[in-house]
């Protein structure tokens, strides 16, 4: 069993290396380890062929199966060979990310069957998934005894179309992530014809791979929590800050009164209000953000929770505290995994209501059309070569996200991490998040603010930078390789990342247990990835006993045992934590084994800088004047978070301001 596992890991490493080196086609025979694995699958295939009434040796016709490694785990493909041709391809099993892997799962099989070659175009942005399908099919071809070379000729290039198309809409939305979809729905509900321009092959952007927490003050759900002495201290510390401007004073006074009333009435559970949310958010970003915008976001957040519930998203019946969220006001969907729920809820509602939203997919917006100082449209380029001139009768909404996946921009702007955010530093973001909207808006005269402020998320996969291997709430106990805690897990994300970077190899582990893991009946985590795959890839580790976990994960066993024992005592009566942790939220306790550890290191996650907006999402120029016709929402904007973005505040930011932008753009007339 053990040998099998290491064979697969070697297999994946060779596979990834060859992608990096060749960026072209991959030979299945390039490594001993790989062919060893494929021999095993060939035996399985022969067995399947026998079961379906044919044998691989006697006849080539049959059904063959092969398993290769994709982005998240094993990709098992089933291929029907008939009359020396690839007749059918089915994805039998995988944990690739929806919706990113949706197009490769249909386009690559269709192209392979059409052109009878495995050497078809990959889907850019889904490279590992694409290669996994191609390689598995190629292995099946080999198993069937067909000439692999003959099935490896280059498929004909798709013709490029050299023409300019003119499109008209009332509202044009650039970017189909959380902010863009929220804006599209809002404008369409106002009866406007909307075109969404999306550069990738999927709708969802980075929002669909976000953890899915939405911070909103919600006394109904938060009353289910018990407030600890540490949390009372957080409130009092927040209220003890000297006012920094008029609005700050107004908010401080309001919260002081709310807190006094709360105590006088002996209210149950956890104190909260949009004003307190705003004070915490502004403070956690070192008072750098625009407080007007921060307060607007915190006021809108509860409405966004209600709006989503009214269009099909079900919320869990309790709130939790996402990593870096600072207060247990994070809402999480119960009928969806991760951030995809927000996107699908909008898409389903648009479809159900038959709203006039159309999508220009695989089309990259390149510039804004400006006439007499107002933005009137967008020039975009499709992957088929077409240029689109999309005119907006009303407004244009920029919703292109941040620039975490653009190393050049990271290096150019970063003022926090000492110029170290080069290509060696991974990102949690999908590849399309390259700051295009910021560049376009600047060319159209927009003012950029806070561009140097870049967030690292501490809890990401050291090998890829993705967050998709997490097992439970990332605010569970952190230990380093020495088995020791090293930080208050409920701290700000910048504090956590700096603490993680101070550990050997920047590595730490989030310790969870069977009872607290967010794993469903199929054994999939909150991103839909099979935990068995994560175990095989050594992204997570398991042990029936603490000693076994320590041995598997390479953590000092004696210290890990002491840390878990401490944690169990602390969670029963959360006080006097040496690192200052104020509470032990539901789902972060460690009652009993089996035990789990997810291996973590920091990666670039969120860029707080971008286009300056006001509370109506109107984009401002360098003189503070509104640029008519241009609205922006989500991570493309600056001034919403300051030096450090509070965990689970990105979703209320992009969804709430997306809705405002859609409504405002719909109402704009020239
Ligand atoms: P937010 O959270 O702010 O909504 P997301 O990352 O979820 O941001 O979504 C941003 C979307 O914008 C992504 O789907 C991304 O592919 C898309 N995008 C980025 N640049 C462009 C561009 N130049 N043209 C069209 N779409 C773009």
């Amino acid at each position: 069993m053990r040998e099998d596992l290491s064979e697969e890991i070697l297999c994946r490493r060779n596979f990834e290396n060859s992608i990096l080196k060749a960026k072209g086609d991959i030979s299945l025979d390039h490594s001993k380890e790989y062919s060893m694995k494929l021999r095993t699958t060939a035996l399985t295939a022969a067995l399947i062929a026998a079961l379906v009434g044919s044998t691989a040796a006697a006849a080539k016709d049959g059904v063959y199966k092969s398993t290769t490694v994709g982005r998240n785990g094993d990709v098992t493909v089933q291929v029907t060979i008939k009359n020396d041709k690839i007749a059918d391809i089915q994805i039998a099993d995988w944990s690739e990310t929806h919706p990113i892997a949706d197009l490769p799962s249909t386009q690559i099989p269709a192209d392979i069957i059409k052109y009878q070659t495995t050497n078809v175009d990959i889907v850019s942005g889904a490279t590992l998934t694409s290669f996994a399908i191609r390689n598995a099919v190629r292995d099946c071809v080999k198993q069937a005894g067909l000439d692999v070379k003959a099935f490896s000729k280059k498929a004909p290039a798709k013709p490029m179309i050299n023409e300019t198309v003119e499109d008209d809409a009332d509202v044009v939305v650039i970017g189909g992530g959380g902010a863009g979809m929220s804006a599209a729905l809002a404008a369409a509900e106002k009866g406007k014809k909307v075109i969404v321009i999306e550069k990738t092959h999927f709708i969802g952007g980075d929002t669909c791979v976000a953890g899915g927490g939405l911070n909103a003050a919600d006394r109904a759900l938060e009353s289910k929590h018990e407030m600890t002495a540490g949390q009372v201290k957080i409130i009092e510390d927040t209220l003890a800050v000297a006012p920094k401007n008029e609005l700050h004073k107004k908010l401080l006074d309001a919260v002081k009164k709310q807190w006094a009333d709360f105590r006088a009435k002996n209210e149950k559970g956890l104190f909260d209000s949009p004003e307190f949310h705003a004070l915490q958010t502004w403070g956690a970003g070192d008072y750098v953000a625009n407080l007007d915008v921060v307060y607007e976001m915190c006021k809108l957040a509860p409405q966004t929770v209600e709006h989503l519930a009214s269009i099909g998203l079900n919320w869990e019946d309790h709130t939790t505290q996402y990593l870096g969220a600072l207060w247990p006001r994070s809402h999480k969907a119960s009928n969806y995994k991760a951030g995809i729920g927000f996107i699908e809820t909008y898409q389903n509602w648009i479809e159900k209501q038959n709203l006039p939203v159309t999508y220009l997919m695989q089309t990259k917006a390149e510039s804004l059309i400006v006439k007499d100082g107002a933005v009137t449209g967008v020039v975009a380029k499709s992957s088929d070569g077409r240029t689109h001139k999309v005119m907006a009768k009303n407004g244009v909404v920029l919703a292109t996200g941040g620039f975490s996946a653009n190393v050049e921009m990271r290096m150019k702007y970063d003022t926090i991490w000492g110029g170290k955010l080069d290509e060696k530093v991974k990102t949690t973001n999908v590849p399309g998040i390259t700051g295009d909207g910021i560049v376009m808006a600047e060319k159209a005269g927009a003012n950029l603010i806070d561009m140097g402020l870049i967030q690292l998320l501490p809890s990401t996969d050291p090998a890829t930078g993705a967050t998709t291997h997490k097992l439970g709430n990332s605010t569970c106990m952190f230990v380093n390789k020495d088995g020791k805690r090293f930080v208050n897990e409920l701290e700000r994300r910048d504090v956590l990342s700096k603490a993680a970077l101070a550990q050997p190899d920047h590595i730490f582990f989030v310790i969870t247990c069977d009872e607290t893991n967010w794993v469903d009946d199929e054994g999939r985590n909150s991103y839909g990835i099979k935990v068995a795959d994560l175990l095989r890839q050594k992204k997570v580790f398991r042990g029936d006993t603490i000693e076994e976990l320590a041995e598997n994960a390479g953590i000092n066993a004696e210290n890990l045992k002491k840390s878990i024992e401490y944690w169990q005592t602390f969670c029963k009566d959360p006080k006097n934590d040496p690192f200052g942790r104020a509470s032990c939220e539901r789902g972060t306790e460690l009652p009993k084994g089996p035990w789990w550890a997810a291996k973590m290191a920091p990666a670039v996650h969120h860029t707080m800088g971008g286009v300056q907006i006001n509370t109506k999402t109107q984009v401002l120029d360098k003189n503070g004047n509104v640029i008519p016709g241009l609205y922006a929402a989500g991570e493309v904007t600056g001034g919403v978070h300051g030096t450090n973005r509070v965990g689970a505040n990105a979703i209320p930011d992009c969804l709430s301001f997306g809705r405002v932008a859609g409504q405002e753009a719909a109402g704009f007339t020239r």
Side-chain angles (χ1 to χ4, degrees):
M1 184 66 190
R2 241 170 203 288
E3 264 171 34
D4 256 68
L5 293 185
S6 51
E7 183 186 309
E8 255 188 59
I9 281 151
L10 272 169
C11 165
R12 182 183 173 107
R13 195 173 307 134
N14 284 325
F15 180 64
E16 285 176 346
N17 283 345
S18 59
I19 287 172
L20 288 175
K21 275 193 217 130
K23 279 270 179 199
D25 208 16
I26 292 177
S27 156
L28 275 183
D29 302 324
H30 70 272
S31 79
K32 193 167 154 247
E33 291 80 11
Y34 210 88
S35 49
M36 274 166 67
K37 174 168 168 57
L38 293 179
R39 275 206 297 279
T40 327
T41 47
L43 281 175
T44 323
L47 213 69
I48 292 165
L51 284 174
V52 296
S54 154
T55 66
K60 289 167 185 171
D61 284 7
V63 179
Y64 298 86
K65 251 191 188 181
S66 179
T67 300
T68 52
V69 184
R71 175 80 167 82
N72 297 335
D74 281 357
V75 170
T76 301
V77 171
Q78 182 175 297
V79 176
T80 305
I81 303 289
K82 207 169 173 190
N83 301 329
D84 291 354
K85 292 227 173 319
I86 301 169
D88 184 50
I89 300 169
Q90 300 289 330
I91 310 292
D93 195 19
W94 74 3
S95 348
E96 300 300 271
T97 309
H98 164 65
I100 304 171
D102 293 0
L103 186 65
S105 76
T106 54
Q107 183 180 299
I108 294 195
D111 283 353
I112 292 176
I113 292 168
K114 181 170 174 192
Y115 299 114
Q116 290 296 304
T117 175
T118 54
N119 195 354
V120 296
D121 284 350
I122 60 157
V123 174
S124 103
T127 310
L128 291 177
T129 309
S130 302
F131 276 122
I133 301 171
R134 286 182 12 168
N135 284 334
V137 175
R138 190 192 285 213
D139 179 48
C140 291
V141 166
K142 193 174 171 189
Q143 289 175 44
L146 294 170
D147 178 4
V148 175
K149 258 195 177 161
F151 283 86
S152 304
K153 62 189 184 299
K154 183 85 189 92
K158 297 203 169 125
M160 294 301 273
I161 305 160
N162 187 13
E163 66 178 22
T164 299
V165 188
E166 301 218 351
D167 301 298
D168 273 314
D170 299 319
V171 172
V172 178
V173 176
I174 312 177
M181 289 307 295
S182 176
L185 169 60
E189 276 175 346
K190 294 224 171 258
K192 299 294 176 183
K193 183 184 155 200
V194 180
I195 292 182
V196 177
I197 303 175
E198 170 52 52
K199 90 170 165 186
T200 68
H201 61 278
F202 66 96
I203 288 293
D206 221 41
T207 304
C208 75
V209 292
L214 189 166
N215 285 341
D218 185 339
R219 275 281 301 137
L221 293 192
E222 288 176 69
S223 63
K224 296 181 181 180
H225 291 263
E226 242 174 66
M227 192 151 52
T228 66
Q231 287 167 327
V232 170
K233 184 169 181 309
I234 289 173
I235 298 170
E236 287 175 350
D237 287 350
T238 307
L239 295 178
V241 172
K244 298 187 186 302
N245 63 30
E246 228 171 273
L247 178 55
H248 191 211
K249 182 173 182 322
K250 202 175 121 195
L251 292 174
L252 283 167
D253 290 345
V255 177
K256 278 176 193 163
K257 182 165 181 327
Q258 291 162 358
W259 177 226
D261 288 351
F262 182 92
R263 287 202 293 189
K265 288 189 195 142
N266 216 0
E267 289 206 32
K268 274 209 160 51
L270 203 64
F271 169 81
D272 205 3
S273 69
E275 290 72 27
F276 180 53
H277 183 190
L279 286 180
Q280 279 199 302
T281 299
W282 201 47
D286 295 318
Y287 312 104
V288 165
N290 175 346
L291 185 55
D292 288 294
V293 174
V294 170
Y295 183 32
E296 190 68 18
M297 175 182 79
C298 298
K299 278 190 293 186
L300 290 171
Q303 295 171 31
T304 301
V305 167
E306 268 176 43
H307 175 242
L308 284 162
S310 74
I311 61 171
L313 189 125
N314 300 336
W315 294 108
E316 286 194 340
D317 65 357
H318 60 279
T319 53
T320 179
Q321 182 164 335
Y322 267 55
L323 190 75
L326 307 179
W327 203 250
R329 60 169 76 90
S330 313
H331 295 63
K332 184 169 175 282
S334 63
N335 55 340
Y336 284 106
K337 284 177 182 283
I340 187 61
F342 306 120
I343 302 296
E344 287 196 357
T345 301
Y346 291 134
Q347 280 181 305
N348 292 344
W349 191 250
I350 286 168
E351 209 174 298
K352 208 166 153 191
Q353 304 295 308
N354 212 4
L355 293 172
V357 178
T358 51
Y359 303 89
L360 273 178
M361 297 302 294
Q362 291 178 288
T363 301
K364 182 182 176 202
E366 292 192 328
S367 60
L368 299 169
I369 302 169
V370 184
K371 195 171 170 230
D372 301 330
V375 172
T376 56
V378 181
V379 177
K381 189 101 180 168
S382 281
S383 57
D384 63 7
R386 276 191 182 93
T387 299
H388 292 262
K389 203 172 159 198
V390 193
M391 301 310 293
K393 280 201 200 87
N394 300 100
V396 171
V397 177
L398 259 188
T400 47
F403 60 92
S404 288
N406 184 331
V407 173
E408 213 176 292
M409 281 180 81
R410 273 161 32 183
M411 293 299 282
K412 174 176 170 185
Y413 288 111
D414 162 50
T415 53
I416 296 185
W417 304 98
K420 293 198 181 115
L421 301 182
D422 62 13
E423 66 291 338
K424 292 195 283 302
V425 183
K426 306 211 162 36
T427 178
T428 60
N429 283 208
V430 293
I433 307 305
T434 48
D436 306 3
I438 296 174
V439 175
M440 268 185 276
E442 192 182 27
K443 281 192 186 138
N447 192 36
L448 306 185
I449 52 170
D450 299 346
M451 288 297 288
L453 309 178
I454 298 178
Q455 175 169 86
L456 299 192
L457 184 72
S459 53
T460 83
D461 175 0
T464 64
T467 53
T468 46
H469 69 310
K470 75 175 191 179
L471 295 171
N473 194 335
S474 304
T475 55
C476 282
M477 184 173 74
F478 290 7
V479 296
N480 58 18
K481 287 182 183 174
D482 203 22
K484 291 184 176 159
R485 283 181 71 217
F486 56 92
V487 72
N488 165 11
E489 297 82 355
L490 300 183
E491 260 291 2
R492 292 163 45 148
R493 286 181 172 178
D494 52 354
V495 173
L496 296 174
S497 290
K498 282 175 190 158
L501 291 173
Q503 306 311 309
D505 304 323
H506 307 165
I507 296 290
F508 71 99
F509 299 87
V510 176
I511 306 296
T512 56
C513 62
D514 262 9
E515 240 174 71
T516 54
N517 278 346
W518 294 343
V519 174
D520 66 16
D521 296 345
E522 281 181 28
R524 292 177 190 265
N525 73 357
S526 58
Y527 282 92
I529 298 180
K530 284 187 195 157
V531 175
D533 280 341
L534 297 173
L535 265 174
R536 267 202 303 274
Q537 296 164 4
K538 297 197 180 295
K539 292 179 189 297
V540 303
F541 305 88
R542 181 191 177 282
D544 281 328
T545 61
I546 296 174
E547 290 77 7
E548 192 187 339
L549 175 70
E551 156 99 38
N552 290 340
I555 306 174
N556 178 304
E558 203 181 311
N559 291 339
L560 179 62
K561 199 158 193 267
K562 279 189 202 147
S563 297
I564 291 180
E565 279 164 8
Y566 165 76
W567 194 263
Q568 290 172 329
T569 316
F570 170 72
C571 281
K572 283 189 192 122
D573 184 14
K575 62 179 184 214
N576 302 330
D577 177 48
F579 294 99
R581 184 168 172 131
S583 57
C584 178
E585 303 314 319
R586 171 175 170 170
T588 61
E589 317 92 332
L590 293 172
K592 60 177 172 24
W595 308 100
W596 290 83
K599 196 173 184 178
M600 303 289 189
V604 178
H605 183 55
H606 192 101
T607 49
M608 278 77 76
V611 174
Q612 187 175 12
I613 53 163
N614 60 19
T615 53
K616 289 181 173 173
T617 71
Q618 291 168 303
V619 175
L620 305 181
D621 68 14
K622 293 190 172 26
N623 300 315
N625 298 319
V626 164
I627 300 179
L630 185 60
Y631 301 82
E635 204 174 331
V636 70
T637 63
V640 189
H641 304 286
T643 54
N644 166 67
R645 200 260 289 158
V646 169
N649 263 5
I651 298 292
D653 170 13
C654 72
L655 303 190
S656 310
F657 283 129
R659 191 157 176 77
V660 173
Q663 288 165 343
E664 291 288 327
F668 175 75
T669 45
R670 263 172 267 132

